[in-house]
DNA sequence: GATTCTATCTCGCTG
DNA sequence: CAGCGAGGTAGAATC
């Protein structure tokens, strides 16, 4: 399709009909909002979703080179004889403008999708695994609560060990770095502060493995590590 | 069917030609790798990029419901009479399988895109801003190094204050939570340990704003905060 | 390759 | 609405 006017009408009609619209062609892109960006001419795929999402994809990469999140208002204009897709949102105020020097194709698809994605191997699965078999953490460990609130946030699993000490368990589904140790340390520190008596509070990081620096941090903070993979 | 066979050939031809290929139709999706997932039938857009990226998009959301990162091998098969796109990668081993019960359209696009995206308003811009006008942090602040290495990682900006104390500056381009305070604290702690003499080490978080919990953490750790927006 | 950190992160949940 | 943390985070820089 070489006619910008016809392209504009096709895009607008698709948007009005609540369809998923794709435009392939040579375009440049301007974004302004939380940051701002400019992108010179190139061949790209523009995807406009009925929920107000916009995606500009190049020939490379998982991530769109430019985008607009769900909830935006899209508009197809004719600006200086070019197809111009203008997308706006508020809080924060952000605008995306895609100018097509040429349009190779506009496609419209009516979509119905009622299926839910079911994922396994998540942190929630790891939590269930530990709750079903607390001895995986250590012999005598007894979980008492999940998502237990502290001043520093919610603890993944809170419980007691065989000696009656309080235990904070932080779960991670994959190999962890220093950030997870900091997270665990914040919870342990908060709980020590909150327990007025002399209760000992232990912190245990449960994950498949830790990096070297994270391991050093654990040692420094007197925290512990238990190697455990998420099930499945 | 004849349909599926033609679709398979179109997809395979596009992949062979190094083109960007899109398939719209009713499909189900299986993923197995770092985690695993199942997705029942629905109308979706499959995007196959010449760099080995695969994206499955529904009618909603910024994120693809399933995907495969760059560097994968895509293959278009005919399985039980259906178009079946099979994508594999290694390290980690991951597979994505998309089975189309029906194909509404297969589109192929030859892509050339040489333009670079230029973004502004990033953390790097904020760093330049501070280095050009160190007094934005505080009067008398003198930057001495960027990305200065410590046992806990690289410090954004390292310098000295008017009294000759060491100063660690952690930059964030937007409002920050507890994680950033933890990061700054790790750097300050590491530097205090590394400076054998009695040098005072101050930690300053530079960001547009902080959350309440982050503010409390800053106070607890004896760290400071300076409000500063990224330029532009 | 592994590690670390940024990101217009997105997303979901909770208060 | 903001805050907080998970994510198959992805991507980049560095070692």
């Amino acid at each position: 399709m070489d006619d910008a006017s016809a392209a504009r009408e096709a895009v607008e009609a698709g948007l009005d009909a609540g369809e998923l619209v794709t435009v392939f062609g040579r375009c440049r892109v301007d974004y302004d909002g939380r940051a701002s960006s400019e992108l010179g001419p190139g061949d790209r795929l523009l995807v406009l979703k009925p929920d107000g999402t916009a995606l500009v994809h190049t020939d490379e990469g998982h991530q769109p080179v430019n985008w607009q999140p769900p909830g935006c208002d899209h508009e197809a204009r004719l600006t200086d004889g070019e197809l111009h897709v203008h997308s706006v949102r508020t809080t924060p105020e952000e605008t995306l403008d895609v100018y097509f020097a040429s349009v190779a194709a506009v496609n419209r698809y009516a979509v119905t999708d009622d299926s839910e994605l079911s994922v396994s191997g998540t942190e929630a699965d790891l939590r269930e695994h530990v709750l079903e078999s607390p001895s995986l953490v250590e012999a005598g460990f007894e979980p008492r609560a999940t998502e237990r609130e502290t001043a520093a946030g919610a603890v993944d699993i809170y419980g007691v060990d065989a000696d009656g000490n309080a235990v904070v368990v932080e779960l991670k589904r994959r190999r962890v770095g220093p950030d997870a140790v900091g997270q665990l340390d914040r919870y342990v520190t908060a709980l020590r502060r909150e327990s007025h008596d002399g209760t000992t509070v232990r912190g245990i990081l449960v994950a498949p493995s830790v990096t070297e620096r994270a391991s050093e941090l654990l040692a420094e903070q007197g925290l512990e590590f238990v190697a455990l993979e998420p099930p499945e």
Side-chain angles (χ1 to χ4, degrees), chain A:
Chain A
M1 189 181 318
D2 232 13
D3 188 353
S5 177
R8 191 207 70 80
E9 282 175 33
V11 172
E12 196 65 37
L15 293 176
D16 288 347
E19 298 172 330
L20 193 154
V21 179
T22 67
V23 183
F24 186 83
R26 191 160 186 80
C27 63
R28 60 199 165 80
V29 186
D30 282 347
Y31 155 75
D32 194 67
R34 286 164 289 178
S36 62
S37 74
E38 287 185 22
L39 180 63
D43 299 329
R44 288 148 206 149
L45 177 72
L46 171 65
V47 178
L48 301 173
K49 296 191 179 190
D51 71 345
T53 300
L55 306 168
V56 181
H57 272 282
T58 68
D59 57 332
E60 291 185 336
H62 164 107
Q63 297 254 174
V65 64
N66 277 112
W67 70 92
Q68 202 72 303
C72 297
D73 280 330
H74 304 323
E75 208 180 304
R77 300 175 180 172
L78 209 58
T79 301
D80 299 331
E82 291 181 349
L83 169 63
H84 166 201
V85 176
H86 177 70
S87 173
V88 190
R89 77 152 169 169
T90 51
T91 42
E93 181 139 336
E94 297 193 295
T95 59
L96 182 74
D97 290 280
V98 186
Y99 303 91
F100 283 89
S102 70
V103 175
V106 175
N107 293 291
R108 300 166 46 181
Y109 307 108
V111 186
T112 55
D113 189 343
D114 299 321
S115 293
E116 293 279 320
L117 179 72
S118 74
V119 191
S120 64
T122 64
E123 185 180 299
D125 294 324
L126 178 57
R127 184 176 62 237
E128 292 314 305
H129 192 46
V130 168
L131 290 176
E132 281 170 23
S133 309
S135 64
L136 288 171
V137 174
E138 76 177 17
F141 174 60
E142 285 182 22
R144 291 285 166 84
T146 62
E147 302 298 317
R148 184 191 195 282
E149 278 301 330
T150 73
V155 166
D156 281 344
I157 300 178
Y158 175 81
V160 295
D161 67 14
D163 300 326
N165 301 310
V167 176
V168 172
V169 175
E170 174 64 28
L171 303 167
K172 294 293 169 189
R173 63 174 300 281
R174 56 169 204 171
R175 183 172 174 85
V176 296
D179 52 337
V181 181
Q183 202 180 331
L184 175 58
D185 187 52
R186 293 204 305 275
Y187 298 149
V188 169
T189 302
L191 268 181
R192 282 180 183 149
R193 189 156 312 175
E194 288 167 33
S195 66
H196 309 288
D197 48 7
T199 311
T200 299
V201 180
R202 297 170 55 199
I204 305 182
L205 186 58
V206 173
S209 59
V210 290
T211 67
E212 175 63 21
R213 195 167 280 169
S215 181
E216 290 166 13
L217 276 170
L218 282 168
E220 278 177 30
Q221 310 291 340
L223 302 172
E224 301 161 61
F225 167 69
V226 169
L228 194 57
E229 304 265 349
E232 227 129 327

